[in-house]
Amino acid sequence: MAIKVGVIGAKGRVGSAVVEGVGEEQDLELVAEIDKDDELTQLTDAGAEVIVDFTTPNVVMDNLEFCIRNGIHCVVGTTGFDDERYDQVRAWCKENPEVGVLIAPNFAISAVLTMVFARQAAKFFDSAEVVEYHHPNKLDAPSGTVVKTARGIAEARREAGLDAMPDATEQALDGSRGADVDGVHVHAVRMTGMVAHEDVIFGTRDQSLTIRQDSYGRTSFVPGVVTGIRNVADNPGLTVGLDKYLGL
Amino acid sequence: MAIKVGVIGAKGRVGSAVVEGVGEEQDLELVAEIDKDDELTQLTDAGAEVIVDFTTPNVVMDNLEFCIRNGIHCVVGTTGFDDERYDQVRAWCKENPEVGVLIAPNFAISAVLTMVFARQAAKFFDSAEVVEYHHPNKLDAPSGTVVKTARGIAEARREAGLDAMPDATEQALDGSRGADVDGVHVHAVRMTGMVAHEDVIFGTRDQSLTIRQDSYGRTSFVPGVVTGIRNVADNPGLTVGLDKYLGL
Amino acid sequence: MAIKVGVIGAKGRVGSAVVEGVGEEQDLELVAEIDKDDELTQLTDAGAEVIVDFTTPNVVMDNLEFCIRNGIHCVVGTTGFDDERYDQVRAWCKENPEVGVLIAPNFAISAVLTMVFARQAAKFFDSAEVVEYHHPNKLDAPSGTVVKTARGIAEARREAGLDAMPDATEQALDGSRGADVDGVHVHAVRMTGMVAHEDVIFGTRDQSLTIRQDSYGRTSFVPGVVTGIRNVADNPGLTVGLDKYLGL
Amino acid sequence: MAIKVGVIGAKGRVGSAVVEGVGEEQDLELVAEIDKDDELTQLTDAGAEVIVDFTTPNVVMDNLEFCIRNGIHCVVGTTGFDDERYDQVRAWCKENPEVGVLIAPNFAISAVLTMVFARQAAKFFDSAEVVEYHHPNKLDAPSGTVVKTARGIAEARREAGLDAMPDATEQALDGSRGADVDGVHVHAVRMTGMVAHEDVIFGTRDQSLTIRQDSYGRTSFVPGVVTGIRNVADNPGLTVGLDKYLGL
């Protein structure tokens, strides 16, 4: 039997892509689309088993409280969570121990895998650097994903007791060696026409390993959300990060 | 204290690179170099704790019997092992249960990781293909490594219950879609100047993930052999494949 | 003063992107949008100096006759031209010698440059192969662009008197070495999420050169059409192929 | 008939690769190998028609004077040339107008083509950046080749009257956007195992073009030197840069 899914924020750019994505899966049934002026009771009326929430920081907590208390599992891509909020969600989950809640900053499955593999590979290589490529309208450099990836690499190297990376550079044009994120050099390219792309590069004797992630469009989060919907009921309590669901 | 290492086949192309590589590591001490006309007792005389064997199918079994019976751990890159040989090694190990033996077809750590990551990633993507690039003197196409990678992907897809990959091709020039290895399309490029390179490409909605492996020279197996030497004593019995040592 | 542009086929998928693209350029002014039920005289009424035609084989010739006879330059991306049609266009141009007509099968400037550079580079390398990557809904393999690129490489090699490429392959899985297009091996990958991508790879002693073209979206032809509009008046008579306008 | 070639600096790392490379070509005949203690008259005695000079700044001018005065064409990869030295060579050539002299800072044909194509492509794209990858023992960042490539792109953009590249970056980690070379952002990666690699990336609406150059070994200059030897007699006078011989 299909899983009954409700989407909160169903008319937003992301939410509407989720609505469409859910509609394409045979094992998922869309039973409710909630937007700003709709009542959350539509979810219970429709018998939703899982909700997907891509809304805003100021409404997401109310949504979660309602759903958890009504035994509805939650897959959440809304931003703005901090420790205090996580603790609140954990408290609600404690009172409803059968409910699963997945909160993830990134649902693009290729980006999540890149981060996981980068952390796994880090200890086997002398060198590691990251190059990211985005459209030129992006406001920050490097991307948050890449900073996180670099920190994961740095942490794995520390845990493995690796030395600093070899680098004999004596004369460098300012900026040419990139930004230093915990000892990992990170470079950001801005290029008209590109969307979002990332190379995590590792090198050791006579070889390199590159993990390349390409996003070509704006709905790359959909497969990750679908993975979340399918697995959230089997993961009671709060889970932060889609990687926990990937079984790696 | 440094691990005492003996190299069998020390004057061969591979063996001499191992000798050099061992010499560069502070936690390893080279105590014996054995080649064709040397006695294996040099290993016991020198107090070797681990041997590395890159020799030939017709002598490797004698080497292993001697070492295992003398309590020396073995890291083996020699080819030609089949089930019968593995069983023989297991029998010797049973009599000497503290001894570890690692036999691996591929010690290039980036290639081994590529295979492991490919298997892990496979179930999350609709499409997967492999492109390998080698120098034009290579006799077989595609490479054995790539066939193995493709089989791993196919197996992971089957286990996850994935459908066949989408492919609407109606008109194709013969060969343009590559070779079919268990449903995974595999392409082999032959290019003067190149050494050995591999792209494992996965795609799903609006995104792709590429795991790229580059070998630039002939000593890319050295870091993997060193990893083997460091870990073989902690892995008693027979282990086939370097991936088992990587803790992934 | 801005160039006055009319778009024929203005409501089609391609035509509407041209309309939008022309609107973004300060030196171009959109003066007429013609679709199925509109009269071509709107073009003359509006004083169009250049038209862009992305229509269908069965109406394009009438459009061209009207425009050329009225002194309007033409930039044409419609398909279905053969020698007979080119001769007819040349005949009309002969009667109106000041009019320029550009007919091009491909307006994606990065794809056109890839083809030009591939032809230029070919004679300096021992090996050359092409790998193309497309979404899995594509019906033909390899793409027409890639076949053309391969033929250009083969022709340049013949003109330079190069030998056949080195290839020692003795054992090959069927299809693994790709399709043979005039001696150039061509490989086609089909991958969910991808759009249209091409690697033209050249190799010689200890080095390779790769020309990579990526299309990320469906309006990659717009910059080429704009280049066509700006230059067509300076190129009287029939020109086939955007490359002739690039001054390379 | 084969061209008679002398190599000066024949025992140096580069010179000995040239000796070997010349030996592999059927249309070239090695007639003299000169090193430190040898007399240049060996060249005239052996009837050398072309010399290759990979020596040092302090001896190259004497070598050139001798060869030019004796009617021997010169292919020169030695460094340290400035305007004064070029003028001196031109003066010798004026007295011996049939002699050709090629002085080039870079004989790796793929690197030279990358620079030429980058300059040709520059004016058709909104964005352009360069990423280079080298082994970690390199002392300078970015490489001289890449700085030159970036300057060529900047010059081509200026000549075409292009605006500054789009870049909305507001918050950037220091160095993340690379070094600014005449407005072109340049990034340098240092990676154990790598040799010398370069990506020149161009982007415009919905597309990008990447020219990638890979050096896998230390003899990548040989094909360019051979091209020089074959063409120098047909190019009397001083030529600076191998690109002039490529007929592009």
Side-chain angles (χ1 to χ4, degrees):
Chain A
M1 254 188 35
I3 301 170
K4 291 183 177 168
V5 181
V7 175
I8 313 184
K11 291 184 181 155
R13 186 180 65 76
V14 179
S16 57
V18 171
V19 165
E20 197 190 315
V22 167
E24 288 171 8
E25 302 296 324
Q26 297 196 332
D27 61 338
L28 306 184
E29 182 190 350
L30 185 71
V31 297
E33 300 180 42
I34 308 287
D35 216 84
K36 271 180 284 201
D37 303 322
D38 301 316
E39 296 293 328
L40 291 171
T41 50
Q42 287 186 27
L43 294 166
T44 38
D45 292 350
E49 296 164 280
V50 178
I51 62 96
V52 178
D53 186 301
F54 280 88
T55 58
T56 57
N58 60 317
V59 301
V60 67
M61 293 304 281
D62 288 346
N63 296 343
L64 290 180
E65 183 175 14
F66 175 88
C67 291
I68 296 172
R69 293 205 160 148
N70 283 284
I72 305 175
H73 309 289
C74 304
V75 173
V76 184
T78 307
T79 58
F81 282 85
D82 53 16
D83 285 345
E84 197 183 332
R85 289 190 157 204
Y86 286 136
D87 285 343
Q88 177 61 73
V89 174
R90 277 190 201 98
W92 291 329
C93 285
K94 209 169 173 183
E95 293 166 22
N96 303 271
E98 80 293 352
V99 174
V101 177
L102 169 65
I103 301 176
N106 195 335
F107 278 94
I109 208 149
S110 53
V112 174
L113 286 171
T114 296
M115 232 178 291
V116 172
F117 292 160
R119 230 190 165 298
Q120 291 184 336
K123 68 176 166 180
F124 302 110
F125 292 89
D126 298 324
S127 306
E129 301 201 14
V130 188
V131 188
E132 56 97 325
Y133 309 78
H134 278 87
H135 57 85
N137 299 322
K138 189 167 176 59
L139 300 180
D140 56 327
S143 72
T145 299
V146 157
V147 170
K148 214 165 162 181
T149 304
R151 287 203 178 123
I153 293 168
E155 200 173 279
R157 289 178 63 94
R158 266 196 309 275
E159 287 169 13
L162 294 196
D163 295 335
M165 299 180 201
D167 184 354
T169 311
E170 287 180 1
Q171 293 187 316
L173 284 188
D174 200 37
S176 61
R177 289 286 290 115
D180 182 321
V181 176
D182 290 2
V184 178
H185 290 251
V186 171
H187 312 264
V189 173
R190 295 293 169 263
M191 188 67 41
T192 305
M194 287 197 171
V195 185
H197 318 263
E198 182 189 2
D199 275 338
V200 185
I201 313 168
F202 295 102
T204 185
R205 191 176 178 124
D206 275 359
Q207 66 202 287
S208 64
L209 176 73
T210 303
I211 305 169
R212 165 103 185 173
Q213 195 275 324
D214 289 274
S215 290
Y216 305 105
R218 297 173 162 273
T219 67
S220 57
F221 50 83
V222 172
V225 170
V226 168
T227 298
I229 295 170
R230 286 187 180 132
N231 290 284
V232 67
D234 296 335
N235 288 275
L238 173 64
T239 303
V240 178
L242 181 63
D243 52 306
K244 311 301 192 308
Y245 277 35
L246 302 184
L248 299 178
Chain B
M1 254 188 38
I3 301 170
K4 290 182 178 169
V5 180
V7 176
I8 313 184
K11 291 184 180 155
R13 186 179 65 76
V14 179
S16 58
V18 171
V19 165
E20 197 191 316
V22 166
E24 289 171 7
E25 301 296 323
Q26 297 196 333
D27 61 337
L28 306 183
E29 183 190 350
L30 185 72
V31 297
E33 300 180 43
I34 308 288
D35 215 84
K36 271 180 282 200
D37 302 323
D38 301 317
E39 296 293 328
L40 290 171
T41 49
Q42 286 186 27
L43 294 166
T44 38
D45 293 351
E49 297 164 280
V50 178
I51 63 96
V52 177
D53 186 301
F54 280 89
T55 59
T56 57
N58 59 320
V59 301
V60 66
M61 293 304 282
D62 289 346
N63 296 343
L64 289 181
E65 183 175 15
F66 175 88
C67 292
I68 296 172
R69 293 203 160 150
N70 282 283
I72 305 175
H73 309 290
C74 304
V75 173
V76 184
T78 306
T79 58
F81 282 86
D82 53 16
D83 285 346
E84 197 183 332
R85 289 192 157 202
Y86 286 137
D87 286 343
Q88 176 62 73
V89 173
R90 277 191 200 97
W92 291 328
C93 285
K94 208 167 173 183
E95 294 167 20
N96 304 271
E98 79 293 352
V99 173
V101 176
L102 169 65
I103 301 176
N106 195 336
F107 277 96
I109 208 150
S110 53
V112 174
L113 286 171
T114 296
M115 231 177 293
V116 172
F117 292 160
R119 230 191 166 298
Q120 291 184 337
K123 68 174 166 181
F124 302 110
F125 292 90
D126 298 324
S127 305
E129 301 200 13
V130 188
V131 188
E132 56 98 325
Y133 308 78
H134 279 87
H135 57 85
N137 299 321
K138 190 168 176 58
L139 300 180
D140 55 327
S143 71
T145 299
V146 157
V147 171
K148 214 167 163 179
T149 303
R151 288 203 177 123
I153 292 169
E155 200 174 279
R157 289 178 63 94
R158 266 197 308 275
E159 286 169 13
L162 294 196
D163 295 334
M165 299 181 202
D167 185 354
T169 311
E170 287 182 1
Q171 293 187 315
L173 285 188
D174 201 36
S176 61
R177 290 286 291 116
D180 183 321
V181 176
D182 291 2
V184 178
H185 290 252
V186 171
H187 312 263
V189 173
R190 294 295 169 262
M191 187 67 41
T192 307
M194 286 196 172
V195 184
H197 317 262
E198 182 189 2
D199 275 337
V200 185
I201 313 168
F202 295 102
T204 185
R205 189 177 180 123
D206 275 0
Q207 67 203 287
S208 64
L209 177 72
T210 303
I211 305 169
R212 165 102 184 172
Q213 195 275 324
D214 290 274
S215 290
Y216 304 106
R218 297 173 162 272
T219 67
S220 57
F221 50 83
V222 172
V225 169
V226 168
T227 297
I229 295 170
R230 286 189 181 130
N231 291 283
V232 67
D234 296 334
N235 288 275
L238 173 64
T239 303
V240 178
L242 182 63
D243 52 306
K244 311 301 191 308
Y245 277 35
L246 302 184
L248 300 179
Chain C
M1 254 187 37
I3 302 171
K4 291 182 177 169
V5 180
V7 176
I8 313 183
K11 292 184 180 156
R13 185 179 67 74
V14 178
S16 59
V18 171
V19 165
E20 197 190 315
V22 166
E24 289 170 8
E25 301 297 324
Q26 297 196 333
D27 60 337
L28 307 183
E29 183 190 353
L30 186 71
V31 297
E33 300 179 42
I34 308 286
D35 215 84
K36 271 181 284 202
D37 302 323
D38 300 316
E39 295 294 328
L40 291 171
T41 49
Q42 287 185 27
L43 294 166
T44 38
D45 292 350
E49 296 164 278
V50 177
I51 62 98
V52 178
D53 186 300
F54 280 88
T55 60
T56 57
N58 60 319
V59 301
V60 66
M61 293 303 282
D62 288 347
N63 296 343
L64 289 180
E65 183 176 13
F66 176 87
C67 291
I68 297 171
R69 292 204 161 151
N70 282 283
I72 304 175
H73 310 289
C74 304
V75 173
V76 184
T78 306
T79 59
F81 281 86
D82 53 15
D83 284 345
E84 196 184 332
R85 288 192 158 203
Y86 286 136
D87 285 344
Q88 176 62 73
V89 174
R90 277 190 200 97
W92 291 328
C93 284
K94 207 168 172 183
E95 294 168 20
N96 304 271
E98 80 292 352
V99 174
V101 177
L102 169 66
I103 300 176
N106 195 336
F107 277 96
I109 208 150
S110 53
V112 174
L113 285 171
T114 296
M115 230 177 294
V116 172
F117 292 161
R119 229 188 167 299
Q120 290 184 336
K123 68 176 166 179
F124 302 110
F125 292 90
D126 298 323
S127 306
E129 301 200 15
V130 188
V131 188
E132 56 96 327
Y133 308 79
H134 277 87
H135 58 85
N137 300 322
K138 190 168 174 58
L139 301 179
D140 55 327
S143 71
T145 299
V146 156
V147 170
K148 213 166 164 181
T149 303
R151 287 203 177 125
I153 292 168
E155 200 173 279
R157 288 177 63 95
R158 266 196 310 273
E159 287 169 14
L162 294 195
D163 294 335
M165 299 181 202
D167 185 354
T169 311
E170 287 181 0
Q171 293 187 317
L173 285 188
D174 201 36
S176 60
R177 290 286 290 115
D180 182 321
V181 176
D182 291 1
V184 179
H185 290 253
V186 171
H187 313 265
V189 173
R190 294 294 170 260
M191 188 66 41
T192 306
M194 286 196 172
V195 184
H197 317 263
E198 182 189 3
D199 276 337
V200 185
I201 312 168
F202 296 101
T204 186
R205 188 178 181 125
D206 276 359
Q207 66 202 289
S208 66
L209 177 73
T210 304
I211 305 169
R212 165 103 185 171
Q213 195 275 324
D214 289 274
S215 289
Y216 304 105
R218 297 174 161 272
T219 66
S220 57
F221 50 83
V222 172
V225 169
V226 168
T227 298
I229 296 170
R230 286 189 181 129
N231 290 283
V232 67
D234 296 334
N235 288 275
L238 172 64
T239 303
V240 178
L242 181 63
D243 52 306
K244 310 302 190 308
Y245 277 35
L246 302 184
L248 300 177
Chain D
M1 255 186 33
I3 302 171
K4 291 182 178 168
V5 180
V7 176
I8 313 184
K11 292 184 180 158
R13 185 179 67 75
V14 178
S16 59
V18 171
V19 165
E20 198 190 315
V22 166
E24 290 170 7
E25 301 297 324
Q26 298 195 332
D27 60 337
L28 306 183
E29 183 190 351
L30 185 71
V31 296
E33 300 180 42
I34 308 287
D35 216 83
K36 269 181 284 201
D37 302 323
D38 300 316
E39 295 293 328
L40 291 171
T41 49
Q42 288 185 26
L43 295 165
T44 39
D45 292 351
E49 296 164 280
V50 177
I51 62 98
V52 178
D53 186 302
F54 281 88
T55 58
T56 57
N58 60 317
V59 301
V60 66
M61 293 303 282
D62 287 347
N63 296 342
L64 290 180
E65 183 175 13
F66 176 87
C67 291
I68 297 171
R69 293 204 161 151
N70 282 284
I72 305 174
H73 309 290
C74 304
V75 173
V76 184
T78 306
T79 58
F81 282 86
D82 53 15
D83 284 345
E84 196 183 332
R85 288 191 157 204
Y86 286 137
D87 285 344
Q88 175 63 72
V89 174
R90 276 189 202 100
W92 291 329
C93 285
K94 207 168 174 183
E95 294 168 20
N96 303 271
E98 81 290 354
V99 174
V101 177
L102 170 65
I103 301 177
N106 195 335
F107 277 95
I109 208 149
S110 54
V112 174
L113 285 171
T114 296
M115 231 177 293
V116 172
F117 292 160
R119 229 190 166 299
Q120 290 183 337
K123 68 175 166 180
F124 301 110
F125 293 90
D126 298 324
S127 306
E129 301 200 15
V130 187
V131 188
E132 56 98 327
Y133 309 77
H134 278 87
H135 58 83
N137 300 322
K138 189 168 175 58
L139 301 181
D140 55 327
S143 71
T145 299
V146 157
V147 170
K148 213 165 163 180
T149 304
R151 287 205 177 123
I153 292 169
E155 199 173 280
R157 289 178 62 94
R158 265 196 309 275
E159 286 169 14
L162 294 195
D163 294 335
M165 298 181 201
D167 185 355
T169 311
E170 287 182 1
Q171 293 187 315
L173 285 187
D174 200 36
S176 60
R177 289 288 289 113
D180 182 321
V181 175
D182 291 1
V184 178
H185 290 252
V186 171
H187 312 265
V189 173
R190 295 294 169 261
M191 187 68 39
T192 305
M194 287 197 171
V195 183
H197 318 262
E198 182 188 2
D199 275 337
V200 185
I201 313 167
F202 295 101
T204 185
R205 189 176 180 127
D206 275 359
Q207 67 203 288
S208 64
L209 177 73
T210 303
I211 306 169
R212 165 102 184 174
Q213 194 275 324
D214 288 275
S215 289
Y216 304 106
R218 296 172 163 274
T219 67
S220 57
F221 49 83
V222 171
V225 169
V226 168
T227 298
I229 295 169
R230 286 187 181 131
N231 291 283
V232 66
D234 297 334
N235 288 275
L238 172 64
T239 303
V240 178
L242 181 63
D243 53 306
K244 312 300 191 309
Y245 277 35
L246 302 183
L248 300 177

